[in-house]
Short mmCIF file of all heavy atoms in Angstrom, two decimals:
data_model
loop_
_atom_site.label_atom_id
_atom_site.label_comp_id
_atom_site.label_asym_id
_atom_site.label_seq_id
_atom_site.Cartn_x
_atom_site.Cartn_y
_atom_site.Cartn_z
N LYS A 618 -4.93 4.31 -17.65
CA LYS A 618 -5.03 4.96 -16.37
C LYS A 618 -6.22 4.44 -15.57
O LYS A 618 -6.37 4.56 -14.34
CB LYS A 618 -5.18 6.43 -16.40
CG LYS A 618 -3.78 7.11 -16.85
CD LYS A 618 -3.92 8.59 -16.98
CE LYS A 618 -2.55 9.21 -17.36
NZ LYS A 618 -2.68 10.60 -17.54
N GLU A 619 -7.10 3.62 -16.24
CA GLU A 619 -8.13 2.93 -15.56
C GLU A 619 -7.61 1.91 -14.52
O GLU A 619 -8.16 1.68 -13.53
CB GLU A 619 -9.10 2.20 -16.50
CG GLU A 619 -9.85 3.06 -17.36
CD GLU A 619 -11.20 3.49 -16.76
OE1 GLU A 619 -11.41 3.09 -15.67
OE2 GLU A 619 -11.95 4.16 -17.47
N ASP A 620 -6.46 1.43 -14.82
CA ASP A 620 -5.74 0.40 -14.01
C ASP A 620 -4.81 0.94 -12.98
O ASP A 620 -3.72 0.45 -12.73
CB ASP A 620 -5.09 -0.62 -14.86
CG ASP A 620 -6.07 -1.35 -15.79
OD1 ASP A 620 -7.30 -1.46 -15.45
OD2 ASP A 620 -5.63 -1.86 -16.84
N THR A 621 -5.20 2.03 -12.35
CA THR A 621 -4.39 2.64 -11.42
C THR A 621 -5.29 3.14 -10.18
O THR A 621 -6.52 3.25 -10.22
CB THR A 621 -3.70 3.97 -11.91
OG1 THR A 621 -4.68 4.93 -12.12
CG2 THR A 621 -2.93 3.78 -13.17
N GLY A 622 -4.61 3.32 -9.04
CA GLY A 622 -5.33 3.85 -7.81
C GLY A 622 -4.58 3.56 -6.53
O GLY A 622 -3.61 2.81 -6.62
N LEU A 623 -5.10 3.92 -5.48
CA LEU A 623 -4.56 3.76 -4.19
C LEU A 623 -5.55 2.96 -3.28
O LEU A 623 -6.60 3.41 -3.07
CB LEU A 623 -4.24 5.10 -3.52
CG LEU A 623 -3.09 5.97 -4.02
CD1 LEU A 623 -3.21 7.35 -3.44
CD2 LEU A 623 -1.74 5.29 -3.65
N PHE A 624 -4.98 1.85 -2.79
CA PHE A 624 -5.72 1.21 -1.68
C PHE A 624 -5.26 1.77 -0.38
O PHE A 624 -4.00 1.89 -0.13
CB PHE A 624 -5.42 -0.35 -1.81
CG PHE A 624 -6.21 -1.08 -2.88
CD1 PHE A 624 -5.66 -1.29 -4.11
CD2 PHE A 624 -7.42 -1.57 -2.64
CE1 PHE A 624 -6.34 -1.87 -5.12
CE2 PHE A 624 -8.23 -2.15 -3.58
CZ PHE A 624 -7.64 -2.29 -4.84
N PHE A 625 -6.23 2.16 0.51
CA PHE A 625 -5.91 2.82 1.65
C PHE A 625 -6.16 1.89 2.91
O PHE A 625 -7.23 1.28 3.11
CB PHE A 625 -6.85 3.95 1.77
CG PHE A 625 -6.58 4.98 2.97
CD1 PHE A 625 -5.32 4.95 3.57
CD2 PHE A 625 -7.46 5.70 3.40
CE1 PHE A 625 -5.04 5.83 4.61
CE2 PHE A 625 -7.30 6.59 4.53
CZ PHE A 625 -5.99 6.65 5.11
N PHE A 626 -5.02 1.76 3.72
CA PHE A 626 -5.08 1.00 4.88
C PHE A 626 -4.91 1.96 6.02
O PHE A 626 -3.84 2.42 6.35
CB PHE A 626 -3.87 -0.04 4.98
CG PHE A 626 -4.05 -1.12 3.91
CD1 PHE A 626 -3.77 -0.81 2.64
CD2 PHE A 626 -4.47 -2.37 4.34
CE1 PHE A 626 -3.83 -1.89 1.66
CE2 PHE A 626 -4.57 -3.44 3.32
CZ PHE A 626 -4.24 -3.20 2.01
N LYS A 627 -6.07 2.40 6.55
CA LYS A 627 -6.11 3.59 7.49
C LYS A 627 -5.53 3.25 8.86
O LYS A 627 -5.83 2.19 9.43
CB LYS A 627 -7.57 4.08 7.55
CG LYS A 627 -7.69 5.43 8.36
CD LYS A 627 -9.09 5.90 8.20
CE LYS A 627 -9.19 7.32 8.84
NZ LYS A 627 -8.45 8.28 8.22
N GLY A 628 -4.77 4.30 9.32
CA GLY A 628 -4.17 4.11 10.71
C GLY A 628 -4.88 5.12 11.54
O GLY A 628 -6.05 5.37 11.42
N ASN A 629 -4.13 5.73 12.46
CA ASN A 629 -4.71 6.71 13.38
C ASN A 629 -4.90 8.03 12.61
O ASN A 629 -4.09 8.51 11.85
CB ASN A 629 -3.81 6.88 14.58
CG ASN A 629 -3.55 5.61 15.46
OD1 ASN A 629 -4.55 4.86 15.50
ND2 ASN A 629 -2.47 5.52 16.03
N PRO A 630 -6.10 8.72 12.87
CA PRO A 630 -6.30 10.02 12.26
C PRO A 630 -5.19 11.02 12.65
O PRO A 630 -4.75 11.04 13.86
CB PRO A 630 -7.61 10.42 12.85
CG PRO A 630 -8.22 9.04 13.27
CD PRO A 630 -7.20 8.23 13.68
N GLY A 631 -4.62 11.68 11.57
CA GLY A 631 -3.65 12.68 11.91
C GLY A 631 -2.23 12.07 11.86
O GLY A 631 -1.23 12.86 12.06
N GLU A 632 -2.10 10.82 11.74
CA GLU A 632 -0.74 10.17 11.80
C GLU A 632 -0.05 10.25 10.26
O GLU A 632 -0.75 10.63 9.28
CB GLU A 632 -0.87 8.64 12.06
CG GLU A 632 0.52 7.90 12.22
CD GLU A 632 1.53 8.65 13.21
OE1 GLU A 632 1.47 8.31 14.38
OE2 GLU A 632 2.23 9.48 12.78
N ARG A 633 1.25 10.14 10.25
CA ARG A 633 1.96 10.28 9.03
C ARG A 633 1.62 9.13 8.04
O ARG A 633 1.02 8.23 8.56
CB ARG A 633 3.44 10.29 9.27
CG ARG A 633 3.90 11.64 9.90
CD ARG A 633 5.37 11.59 10.35
NE ARG A 633 5.80 12.90 10.69
CZ ARG A 633 5.63 13.30 12.03
NH1 ARG A 633 5.08 12.65 12.83
NH2 ARG A 633 6.04 14.47 12.31
N PHE A 634 1.92 9.38 6.74
CA PHE A 634 1.51 8.26 5.77
C PHE A 634 2.85 7.74 5.05
O PHE A 634 3.86 8.37 5.07
CB PHE A 634 0.51 8.81 4.73
CG PHE A 634 1.12 9.68 3.80
CD1 PHE A 634 1.65 9.23 2.53
CD2 PHE A 634 1.10 11.14 3.84
CE1 PHE A 634 2.29 10.03 1.56
CE2 PHE A 634 1.68 11.96 2.90
CZ PHE A 634 2.20 11.46 1.73
N ALA A 635 2.50 6.49 4.55
CA ALA A 635 3.54 5.80 3.68
C ALA A 635 2.89 5.36 2.51
O ALA A 635 1.78 4.92 2.54
CB ALA A 635 4.07 4.65 4.45
N ILE A 636 3.53 5.41 1.42
CA ILE A 636 3.19 4.80 0.17
C ILE A 636 4.01 3.55 -0.17
O ILE A 636 5.21 3.70 -0.23
CB ILE A 636 3.24 5.73 -1.07
CG1 ILE A 636 2.36 7.04 -0.77
CG2 ILE A 636 2.60 5.10 -2.30
CD1 ILE A 636 2.46 8.00 -1.83
N CYS A 637 3.28 2.43 -0.30
CA CYS A 637 4.03 1.18 -0.65
C CYS A 637 3.81 0.90 -2.08
O CYS A 637 2.75 0.82 -2.61
CB CYS A 637 3.40 -0.03 0.25
SG CYS A 637 3.62 0.28 2.08
N ASN A 638 4.96 0.50 -2.80
CA ASN A 638 4.99 0.27 -4.13
C ASN A 638 5.57 -1.13 -4.45
O ASN A 638 6.64 -1.52 -4.17
CB ASN A 638 5.80 1.20 -4.87
CG ASN A 638 5.55 2.62 -4.56
OD1 ASN A 638 4.55 3.19 -5.09
ND2 ASN A 638 6.16 3.30 -3.51
N ALA A 639 4.67 -1.97 -5.01
CA ALA A 639 4.99 -3.35 -5.37
C ALA A 639 5.87 -3.48 -6.52
O ALA A 639 5.93 -2.54 -7.32
CB ALA A 639 3.77 -4.26 -5.55
N GLY A 640 6.69 -4.55 -6.61
CA GLY A 640 7.45 -4.83 -7.76
C GLY A 640 6.69 -5.64 -8.82
O GLY A 640 5.47 -5.85 -8.76
N GLY A 641 7.49 -6.16 -9.80
CA GLY A 641 6.94 -6.84 -10.84
C GLY A 641 7.59 -6.63 -12.20
O GLY A 641 7.07 -6.81 -13.24
N ALA A 642 8.89 -6.09 -12.00
CA ALA A 642 9.82 -5.84 -13.22
C ALA A 642 9.19 -4.81 -14.19
O ALA A 642 9.46 -4.73 -15.35
CB ALA A 642 10.07 -7.09 -13.90
N PHE A 643 8.23 -3.90 -13.63
CA PHE A 643 7.58 -2.96 -14.46
C PHE A 643 6.72 -3.63 -15.52
O PHE A 643 6.41 -2.93 -16.49
CB PHE A 643 8.54 -1.95 -15.06
CG PHE A 643 9.16 -1.03 -14.07
CD1 PHE A 643 10.59 -1.10 -13.89
CD2 PHE A 643 8.46 -0.15 -13.21
CE1 PHE A 643 11.16 -0.31 -12.98
CE2 PHE A 643 8.98 0.61 -12.28
CZ PHE A 643 10.41 0.59 -12.16
N ALA A 644 6.41 -4.88 -15.31
CA ALA A 644 5.51 -5.60 -16.25
C ALA A 644 4.12 -5.68 -15.62
O ALA A 644 3.09 -5.96 -16.36
CB ALA A 644 6.04 -6.92 -16.60
N TYR A 645 4.08 -5.97 -14.24
CA TYR A 645 2.80 -6.06 -13.60
C TYR A 645 3.11 -5.48 -12.12
O TYR A 645 4.13 -5.30 -11.76
CB TYR A 645 2.36 -7.49 -13.61
CG TYR A 645 2.94 -8.41 -12.62
CD1 TYR A 645 2.25 -8.87 -11.40
CD2 TYR A 645 4.24 -8.92 -12.70
CE1 TYR A 645 2.81 -9.70 -10.54
CE2 TYR A 645 4.82 -9.80 -11.78
CZ TYR A 645 4.06 -10.12 -10.69
OH TYR A 645 4.70 -10.95 -9.69
N VAL A 646 2.02 -5.55 -11.30
CA VAL A 646 2.08 -5.11 -9.99
C VAL A 646 1.76 -6.16 -9.04
O VAL A 646 0.59 -6.79 -8.89
CB VAL A 646 1.08 -3.84 -9.76
CG1 VAL A 646 1.19 -3.42 -8.26
CG2 VAL A 646 1.24 -2.72 -10.73
N GLY A 647 2.75 -6.72 -8.34
CA GLY A 647 2.59 -7.92 -7.37
C GLY A 647 2.19 -7.45 -5.98
O GLY A 647 2.81 -7.69 -5.08
N ALA A 648 1.12 -6.72 -5.92
CA ALA A 648 0.71 -6.10 -4.63
C ALA A 648 0.43 -7.05 -3.51
O ALA A 648 0.67 -6.66 -2.33
CB ALA A 648 -0.47 -5.14 -4.83
N MET A 649 -0.05 -8.20 -3.82
CA MET A 649 -0.52 -9.08 -2.74
C MET A 649 0.61 -9.63 -1.91
O MET A 649 0.59 -10.13 -0.82
CB MET A 649 -1.28 -10.30 -3.37
CG MET A 649 -2.04 -11.07 -2.25
SD MET A 649 -3.17 -10.13 -1.11
CE MET A 649 -4.59 -9.85 -2.22
N GLN A 650 1.90 -9.51 -2.53
CA GLN A 650 3.17 -9.91 -1.66
C GLN A 650 3.97 -8.71 -1.43
O GLN A 650 4.71 -8.76 -0.39
CB GLN A 650 3.86 -10.85 -2.60
CG GLN A 650 5.37 -11.28 -1.98
CD GLN A 650 5.28 -12.09 -0.72
OE1 GLN A 650 4.30 -12.25 -0.09
NE2 GLN A 650 6.46 -12.65 -0.40
N ASP A 651 3.98 -7.68 -2.08
CA ASP A 651 4.90 -6.64 -2.10
C ASP A 651 4.49 -5.27 -1.66
O ASP A 651 5.31 -4.36 -1.65
CB ASP A 651 5.61 -6.52 -3.52
CG ASP A 651 7.15 -6.53 -3.37
OD1 ASP A 651 7.62 -6.71 -2.23
OD2 ASP A 651 7.80 -6.20 -4.38
N SER A 652 3.27 -4.94 -1.45
CA SER A 652 2.70 -3.72 -0.90
C SER A 652 1.58 -3.88 0.06
O SER A 652 1.51 -3.15 1.06
CB SER A 652 2.45 -2.74 -2.01
OG SER A 652 1.43 -3.24 -2.93
N PHE A 653 0.61 -4.70 -0.24
CA PHE A 653 -0.59 -4.90 0.59
C PHE A 653 -0.16 -5.43 2.06
O PHE A 653 -0.60 -4.86 3.06
CB PHE A 653 -1.58 -5.94 0.06
CG PHE A 653 -2.33 -5.33 -1.09
CD1 PHE A 653 -2.98 -6.32 -1.94
CD2 PHE A 653 -2.37 -4.00 -1.43
CE1 PHE A 653 -3.71 -5.76 -3.10
CE2 PHE A 653 -3.10 -3.57 -2.55
CZ PHE A 653 -3.86 -4.43 -3.46
N PRO A 654 0.73 -6.33 2.09
CA PRO A 654 1.15 -6.74 3.47
C PRO A 654 1.82 -5.74 4.28
O PRO A 654 1.56 -5.57 5.42
CB PRO A 654 2.10 -8.04 3.16
CG PRO A 654 1.74 -8.46 1.77
CD PRO A 654 1.38 -7.30 1.04
N HIS A 655 2.65 -4.92 3.63
CA HIS A 655 3.45 -3.89 4.24
C HIS A 655 2.40 -2.80 4.80
O HIS A 655 2.46 -2.26 5.89
CB HIS A 655 4.33 -3.26 3.30
CG HIS A 655 5.34 -4.20 2.71
ND1 HIS A 655 4.97 -5.32 1.88
CD2 HIS A 655 6.68 -4.37 2.72
CE1 HIS A 655 5.92 -5.97 1.54
NE2 HIS A 655 7.10 -5.48 2.03
N ALA A 656 1.48 -2.45 3.85
CA ALA A 656 0.58 -1.46 4.17
C ALA A 656 -0.41 -1.85 5.38
O ALA A 656 -0.66 -1.04 6.34
CB ALA A 656 -0.32 -1.02 3.03
N LEU A 657 -0.81 -3.11 5.35
CA LEU A 657 -1.67 -3.71 6.52
C LEU A 657 -0.85 -3.67 7.84
O LEU A 657 -1.37 -3.13 8.83
CB LEU A 657 -2.02 -5.05 6.22
CG LEU A 657 -2.94 -5.71 7.26
CD1 LEU A 657 -4.22 -4.85 7.49
CD2 LEU A 657 -3.39 -7.09 6.86
N GLU A 658 0.51 -3.94 7.87
CA GLU A 658 1.19 -3.99 8.98
C GLU A 658 1.46 -2.57 9.60
O GLU A 658 1.39 -2.31 10.77
CB GLU A 658 2.51 -4.73 8.82
CG GLU A 658 2.32 -6.21 8.57
CD GLU A 658 1.57 -6.97 9.77
OE1 GLU A 658 1.99 -6.62 10.98
OE2 GLU A 658 0.67 -7.63 9.53
N LEU A 659 1.71 -1.61 8.64
CA LEU A 659 1.92 -0.25 8.98
C LEU A 659 0.67 0.29 9.58
O LEU A 659 0.77 0.98 10.62
CB LEU A 659 2.29 0.54 7.84
CG LEU A 659 3.85 0.38 7.32
CD1 LEU A 659 3.97 0.89 5.78
CD2 LEU A 659 4.79 0.93 8.24
N SER A 660 -0.56 -0.02 9.12
CA SER A 660 -1.82 0.48 9.61
C SER A 660 -2.00 -0.10 11.00
O SER A 660 -2.63 0.68 11.94
CB SER A 660 -2.89 0.20 8.66
OG SER A 660 -3.31 -1.24 8.70
N LYS A 661 -1.69 -1.29 11.24
CA LYS A 661 -1.77 -1.93 12.48
C LYS A 661 -0.94 -1.12 13.54
O LYS A 661 -1.30 -1.12 14.74
CB LYS A 661 -1.35 -3.38 12.49
CG LYS A 661 -2.35 -4.31 11.77
CD LYS A 661 -1.81 -5.67 11.86
CE LYS A 661 -2.67 -6.73 10.99
NZ LYS A 661 -2.20 -8.05 10.97
N GLN A 662 0.11 -0.49 13.15
CA GLN A 662 0.97 0.28 14.04
C GLN A 662 0.52 1.71 14.05
O GLN A 662 1.28 2.57 14.64
CB GLN A 662 2.42 0.12 13.73
CG GLN A 662 2.89 -1.34 13.87
CD GLN A 662 4.40 -1.48 13.95
OE1 GLN A 662 5.09 -0.52 14.48
NE2 GLN A 662 4.96 -2.60 13.50
N GLY A 663 -0.51 2.09 13.51
CA GLY A 663 -1.05 3.34 13.57
C GLY A 663 -0.74 4.35 12.38
O GLY A 663 -1.39 5.45 12.37
#
C-alpha cells in the first residue's frame, strides 16, 4: 500500500470531481499516458 495514492489536478473550488484510472493489464499503472493527461485536461476545464 506504500505504492498507492491520488495525484490531484485541481480545478475550480466546489466543482465536481473525476477519478482517472490508468491501465497496464493489472501488472503496472501506465499513468503518464492513461490518467495524468486526462486529469490535467479535465482540470483545465474547471
Side-chain angles (χ1 to χ4, degrees):
K618 291 179 179 176
E619 291 277 0
D620 296 333
T621 66
L623 285 168
F624 282 93
F625 187 23
F626 295 76
K627 191 173 182 61
N629 296 331
E632 184 55 87
R633 291 175 171 81
F634 76 86
I636 303 179
C637 302
N638 304 280
F643 293 117
Y645 82 104
V646 182
M649 193 55 75
Q650 170 72 346
D651 224 14
S652 60
F653 290 161
H655 306 62
L657 179 57
E658 290 305 311
L659 285 164
S660 71
K661 289 178 179 178
Q662 298 198 35

